[in-house]
Amino acid sequence: MYSKEELLIFSIINSNYDISIQNLTYKIFNFSNIENINFFKLNRIEKIEFLKSFFSEDNTEKILFVFDKINLYKIEVEKILKICEEKNINIFYYSYENYPKNLIDIKESPYVIFVRGTLPPDKELEKAFAIVGTRKATGEGINFAKDIGTYLAKNNIYNISGLALGIDTVGHELCIHKTGAILGQGLDLEIYPRENIKLAEKILENNGFLLSELIPKQELSIFSLIKRDRLQSALTSGIIIAEIGIKGGTVNTFKYAKEQKKRIFISDINKEFIEKYKKDLIVVKNSLDFEKKLKNNLEQKNLF
């Protein structure tokens, strides 16, 4: 098991380097956990031998260069801990107590997650949903999201979404007493989008949470917005798509949910998307239909 400091170092690398280094680092983390090896405790020769089994010579050199900066990372760890203490940001460490079990076995589990507010316990997350959809929603999409949001709120079910404009915003507002947002930025920065700064504050005021896998000062990027979608689906029992195009950000959430074998409900207004992906979807008309099909889905699941 890696120490908390070492997990924070993995998180720093994940936040500061490009996708190629991130992918290589995840491979090291996953393989070393399987083999019960602590990569940080290997000397340079042992690191090379370890890496040679699954990396090219070029990639081995890249990784050695990254991990040679260990003393700089330790200084960064101290800065992060200080910021988190000052800003009331909680840190949950992979495989340690209170780390959400829904995140343990997904592809590229976060080394740590940073949380402002109150992260619900696993028993709440196990029945949570994510109301998701386009930023440029039509009246039909918004009405569906309002209907589903009202249902979740009435039944004390968490809605975990991404604080984006459009459908995400509607879902958060309707479920304000049971909601959380996954961000694609560090938690010690101004909230993006700026239009939802007050909504973020309202979420925290109502015992909800803001969550990020990125270190507190890490800026937003397109790639981090995409990657946060895997956490959105992973933390829930499934996603509910209000409105979606064949292309767009919500497609990433759909693909992650499919990979994670989550239940994927979708409003029947999305004809083109349903036609393309119908075998992966549970099509619903409204909250009454959702409740009926959710119950049927749970009953079928219990048969096996």
Side-chain angles (χ1 to χ4, degrees):
M1 180 186 289
Y2 285 104
S3 70
K4 291 180 177 181
E5 180 186 58
E6 289 163 346
L7 289 169
L8 277 171
I9 291 172
F10 274 120
S11 182
I12 291 166
I13 293 169
N14 185 62
S15 296
N16 288 340
Y17 286 91
D18 64 24
I19 182 60
S20 64
I21 295 297
Q22 289 180 30
N23 288 339
L24 295 175
T25 306
Y26 272 121
K27 286 182 180 180
I28 292 169
F29 183 72
N30 291 332
F31 191 67
S32 63
N33 274 319
I34 291 169
E35 296 297 315
N36 200 25
I37 293 170
N38 187 317
F39 188 71
F40 291 100
K41 290 185 169 29
L42 302 179
N43 62 39
R44 191 174 182 83
I45 293 172
E46 290 170 335
K47 282 187 173 76
I48 292 170
E49 285 301 311
F50 175 82
L51 296 170
K52 273 170 56 178
S53 60
F54 52 100
F55 284 167
S56 67
E57 190 173 332
D58 283 348
N59 283 338
T60 296
E61 286 302 316
K62 285 181 184 177
I63 284 297
L64 290 174
F65 174 77
V66 169
F67 279 83
D68 278 344
K69 300 178 180 179
I70 192 73
N71 289 330
L72 290 175
Y73 299 143
K74 288 183 177 182
I75 294 171
E76 186 69 15
V77 164
E78 292 304 314
K79 292 179 182 177
I80 290 170
L81 292 174
K82 184 177 180 182
I83 289 171
C84 290
E85 184 178 0
E86 291 174 350
K87 301 297 176 70
N88 292 318
I89 298 171
N90 296 308
I91 309 174
F92 297 80
Y93 299 87
Y94 178 87
S95 80
Y96 281 77
E97 185 181 7
N98 296 329
Y99 184 92
K101 71 176 186 180
N102 284 2
L103 298 182
I104 287 285
D105 294 323
I106 66 168
K107 186 178 180 181
E108 299 185 353
S109 298
Y111 308 112
V112 303
I113 53 173
F114 299 92
V115 178
R116 290 184 64 197
T118 306
L119 184 68
D122 286 330
K123 66 179 181 179
E124 293 263 25
L125 295 174
E126 284 169 3
K127 61 181 183 178
F129 279 94
I131 300 174
V132 298
T134 179
R135 290 167 172 78
K136 298 178 180 178
T138 64
E140 281 185 296
I142 289 170
N143 287 337
F144 178 85
K146 285 181 177 179
D147 183 28
I148 293 294
T150 301
Y151 172 83
L152 295 185
K154 182 181 175 182
N155 289 276
N156 290 313
I157 298 171
Y158 261 90
N159 167 50
I160 298 172
S161 200
L163 204 70
L165 299 177
I167 297 299
D168 283 24
T169 296
V170 174
H172 286 306
E173 288 175 341
L174 266 295
C175 301
I176 198 64
H177 296 289
K178 288 269 187 175
T179 196
I182 315 298
L183 306 184
Q185 63 176 83
L187 296 183
D188 192 32
L189 296 173
E190 182 180 84
I191 291 293
Y192 173 86
R194 294 195 70 191
E195 294 91 331
N196 276 347
I197 289 175
K198 289 190 182 299
L199 175 57
E201 292 171 354
K202 195 174 176 184
I203 288 172
L204 295 177
E205 287 166 2
N206 284 276
N207 296 315
F209 67 90
L210 306 178
L211 182 154
S212 177
E213 66 180 314
L214 302 171
I215 59 177
K217 293 288 187 183
Q218 186 65 29
E219 297 284 349
L220 182 85
S221 72
I222 295 297
F223 184 66
S224 65
L225 284 173
I226 293 171
K227 284 194 72 177
R228 62 94 185 263
D229 290 340
R230 81 190 195 287
L231 306 183
Q232 197 169 296
S233 60
L235 280 172
T236 64
S237 67
I239 66 172
I240 306 168
I241 302 171
E243 188 170 1
I244 188 173
I246 293 299
K247 297 180 180 179
T250 308
V251 176
N252 295 310
T253 313
F254 161 72
K255 289 179 178 177
Y256 283 125
K258 181 181 173 183
E259 178 185 275
Q260 295 164 2
K261 295 181 170 49
K262 299 289 184 175
R263 291 172 290 182
I264 304 171
F265 294 87
I266 187 169
S267 166
D268 66 349
I269 69 172
N270 299 284
K271 308 297 184 187
E272 188 178 0
F273 194 87
I274 292 167
E275 180 62 30
K276 185 171 182 178
Y277 296 106
K278 54 189 171 186
K279 68 182 179 62
D280 302 307
L281 304 168
I282 304 170
V283 181
V284 295
K285 297 176 183 178
N286 50 39
S287 60
L288 289 175
D289 196 24
F290 170 74
E291 182 177 46
K292 177 183 175 182
K293 290 180 178 176
L294 176 61
K295 184 179 179 182
N296 289 341
N297 182 270
L298 289 172
E299 286 175 352
Q300 290 170 10
K301 186 177 179 181
N302 288 336
L303 291 174
F304 299 94

